[in-house]
Amino acid sequence: MPARSRLSKPARELAKKRLFFPSFDAKKTFGNHDRKGSLMVIEKLRIENFKALREVTLRDLPNFAVFVGKNGAGKTTLFRVFAFLKDCLATNVRTALQREGGLNGFREVITRGCEGESIELEIKFRLEIAGHERLVTYLLEIGEDGRRPFVKREILRYKRARHGAPFHFIDFRNGEGYAISNEEDFDKPDEELEREYQALDSPDLLAIKALGQFQRFKAANAFRQLIENWHISDFHITSARGKKEPEEGRHLSSTGDNLPVVARRIRDEYPETWSRICRRMEERVPGVKKIVVQEELDGGLLVQYQDGAFKDPFFDRNVSDGTIKMFSYLILLNDPLPHKILCVEEPENQLYPELMIVLAEEFIDYAERGGQVLVSTHSPQFLNAISGESIFVLEKEEGVTKVYRAMDDPVVANLVREGDHPGYLWQQGSFEGMGARIKQEQKKKEIFE
């Protein structure tokens, strides 16, 4: 059995948290900063034939989910699914495939050995429609005809009543199909629903891109907003440094290249949030006593950091990468209008290991405010600060990625319940062979059943 290690009291408290929110009240939690629309949380994600993700299904996703695995296990590919779907919506399927696989597009993205099959993505999320919470399913199937990628099938469905089969409110094949325009009329029988038949400009376009612009298509409009609003972090220190033009920027960009712009907005529009960010920077980065967003004569914006040992603040080019990255995360995670989906890869890069415990707390707080958070990491310190229920493990098996819940492994689950911390178990190799142990446990259950 691995040797037990002690954590600080704050870390122990964090490790006890369970990030499932069955009775989450967004309006109560957000207060004056409540977002427009309903809280939408992804409950299920099914992926088929997307690179190394041959068949992956994530069920009952918590608001805070953390993915670990060796290099090359598929963590980046899993997060690329979100970027890919967002690109499909912003442009079209052909362009999104080329961004993922180069000029060969579809043939580079589809799983090796599965040529001739389709790429499938299925997302289930909760949405309030006409005062009723619905579990909505979006299905996207992408095929190739010759060298021409196209949307083979696109469906948006949910149950109109508590019982019965889910009803298709959007159903398109190869650029043609229908959408229901009066989906809120729950009292009407199915045959009285109004179907609007449409033909898209091209078969590689998503129907939700066109229909989601109109309020009468409620579920399509909400799902389009969900995709447009999710944030896939691709933060670059070099992009965040230096003077920036004072353009509009409500949220931190994926690369962080508008950091001074968003910092100024929070400083001016949400002074209490700004004070909290500055206070936490002072607590977590030794020497930092003040942060200044400097407006230059030419209108450009710069972030300066005041060290308590010096009279004048330093420009960001003279401070450490870790200082800038911690400030950027605090700006992102204290956003008064949180993203509905937030994906962050390996937040530990450029940060001192001990900061991972407090950074985990920031992610947890963000999830509690209503944003669903997906994080990949190799950091034992980060894993030590979170619940075992939030951890998913990726393994490569015969060249394809498999995903397992850490607490489905009887060995890991028993060790965690006895007091061992997930990060130390990960560091000591106790996650090795998790897939085989879980499969063996499932076979035992099938025998006794």
Side-chain angles (χ1 to χ4, degrees):
M1 180 181 296
R4 298 218 168 85
S5 302
R6 293 185 178 275
L7 292 176
S8 63
K9 184 176 179 181
R12 289 198 304 272
E13 292 302 314
L14 284 172
K16 293 177 183 176
K17 290 195 175 187
R18 295 293 185 267
L19 274 300
F20 296 91
F21 306 114
S23 58
F24 180 78
D25 187 338
K27 189 168 291 185
K28 179 179 178 182
T29 302
F30 280 117
N32 292 331
H33 302 321
D34 192 6
R35 295 172 296 176
K36 292 182 179 180
S38 304
L39 177 69
M40 285 177 287
V41 176
I42 294 176
E43 292 197 356
K44 177 184 174 182
L45 175 63
R46 183 176 64 82
I47 306 161
E48 287 190 13
N49 296 333
F50 187 88
K51 300 184 178 179
L53 306 178
R54 174 68 181 91
E55 289 184 79
V56 168
T57 301
L58 303 175
R59 293 184 175 86
D60 301 321
L61 275 171
N63 272 37
F64 184 41
V66 179
F67 299 87
V68 299
K70 294 180 178 180
N71 290 332
K75 300 186 298 299
T76 296
T77 302
L78 179 62
F79 280 29
R80 287 306 305 169
V81 169
F82 292 92
F84 172 71
L85 189 53
K86 191 170 184 177
D87 284 343
C88 286
L89 180 66
T91 57
N92 55 53
V93 166
R94 177 189 291 276
T95 301
L97 286 167
Q98 288 178 342
R99 288 179 180 176
E100 292 296 323
L103 291 177
N104 287 326
F106 182 90
R107 300 185 183 191
E108 287 295 320
V109 175
I110 195 163
T111 305
R112 293 288 184 267
C114 297
E115 294 79 6
E117 298 184 29
S118 302
I119 297 170
E120 287 192 27
L121 304 176
E122 181 183 80
I123 298 177
K124 288 190 177 183
F125 60 98
R126 295 215 167 263
L127 170 66
E128 185 177 299
I129 301 174
H132 301 277
E133 185 183 82
R134 305 293 179 185
L135 182 60
V136 182
T137 299
Y138 177 74
L139 172 67
L140 175 63
E141 183 180 356
I142 299 170
E144 186 181 47
D145 182 8
R147 297 191 68 86
R148 181 180 63 91
F150 68 102
V151 179
K152 201 170 184 179
R153 191 81 186 271
E154 185 180 9
I155 296 172
L156 194 68
R157 64 176 183 260
Y158 60 88
K159 290 183 180 180
R160 300 187 66 221
R162 180 170 297 182
H163 305 290
F167 189 84
H168 291 196
F169 289 88
I170 291 178
D171 197 331
F172 274 69
R173 301 169 189 259
N174 200 12
E176 297 181 347
Y178 69 83
I180 302 298
S181 59
N182 60 336
E183 60 186 277
E184 290 185 85
D185 294 336
F186 293 111
D187 294 333
K188 289 188 176 182
D190 292 354
E191 57 270 16
E192 292 185 19
L193 293 177
E194 298 174 8
R195 289 173 171 80
E196 290 190 18
Y197 287 87
Q198 305 277 350
L200 303 176
D201 291 339
S202 173
D204 65 353
L205 292 174
L206 299 187
I208 58 167
K209 179 176 182 177
L211 302 175
Q213 301 177 67
F214 304 105
Q215 286 292 330
R216 66 180 183 274
F217 303 113
K218 298 297 182 183
N221 179 267
F223 188 63
R224 175 180 171 139
Q225 290 184 48
L226 173 67
I227 297 174
E228 290 176 337
N229 186 258
W230 64 38
H231 179 93
I232 300 97
S233 180
D234 186 23
F235 184 80
H236 297 286
I237 295 292
T238 54
S239 298
R241 291 186 190 272
K243 185 166 62 175
K244 309 297 179 185
E245 294 300 317
E247 59 190 20
E248 284 294 321
R250 292 193 60 79
H251 301 286
L252 189 67
S253 68
S254 61
T255 62
D257 62 357
N258 64 344
L259 177 61
V261 178
V262 179
R264 184 182 66 167
R265 180 183 72 84
I266 293 177
R267 182 199 66 186
D268 295 345
E269 298 181 19
Y270 303 96
E272 291 184 6
T273 300
W274 177 252
S275 296
R276 182 169 65 251
I277 290 171
C278 293
R279 186 170 59 252
R280 290 182 177 179
M281 276 294 290
E282 184 177 349
E283 293 169 352
R284 292 162 189 185
V285 181
V288 173
K289 296 298 180 184
K290 187 178 181 180
I291 299 175
V292 178
V293 181
Q294 179 68 38
E295 300 178 23
E296 302 288 277
L297 292 176
D298 62 359
L301 298 175
L302 278 167
V303 177
Q304 295 178 309
Y305 300 83
Q306 175 74 59
D307 190 304
F310 298 90
K311 180 180 178 181
D312 297 321
F314 291 100
F315 290 111
D316 60 7
R317 65 176 176 269
N318 296 319
V319 301
S320 70
D321 291 352
T323 298
I324 294 175
K325 190 163 188 181
M326 176 55 76
F327 179 59
S328 301
Y329 276 136
L330 288 173
I331 289 290
L332 175 65
L333 297 173
N334 286 276
D335 193 327
L337 303 170
H339 295 279
K340 293 167 183 174
I341 304 291
L342 176 63
C343 300
V344 179
E345 284 195 79
E346 300 180 7
E348 64 267 22
N349 293 339
Q350 288 104 27
L351 290 179
Y352 187 65
E354 292 305 317
L355 285 176
M356 297 314 299
I357 292 175
V358 292
L359 187 59
E361 181 180 10
E362 296 290 346
F363 279 110
I364 289 171
D365 288 344
Y366 188 96
E368 288 178 336
R369 289 193 294 128
Q372 189 169 28
V373 180
L374 309 178
V375 176
S376 71
T377 186
H378 293 115
S379 169
Q381 291 83 5
F382 192 90
L383 294 175
N384 280 338
I386 65 176
S387 160
E389 300 287 352
S390 296
I391 299 173
F392 295 78
V393 180
L394 283 73
E395 293 183 352
K396 270 287 184 69
E397 299 177 8
E398 298 181 353
V400 298
T401 298
K402 300 292 184 181
V403 185
Y404 302 99
R405 285 182 177 274
M407 295 299 280
D408 284 347
D409 179 356
V411 173
V412 170
N414 288 335
L415 290 172
V416 170
R417 293 188 187 106
E418 289 175 4
D420 287 287
H421 299 287
Y424 293 125
L425 296 176
W426 159 253
Q427 190 175 33
Q428 294 163 6
S430 298
F431 285 15
E432 292 280 347
M434 178 174 289
R437 291 194 296 270
I438 291 175
K439 291 175 184 176
Q440 186 177 16
E441 187 70 13
Q442 290 172 343
K443 287 182 179 178
K444 289 180 181 178
K445 290 181 179 178
E446 289 173 2
I447 292 172
F448 286 110
E449 288 177 356

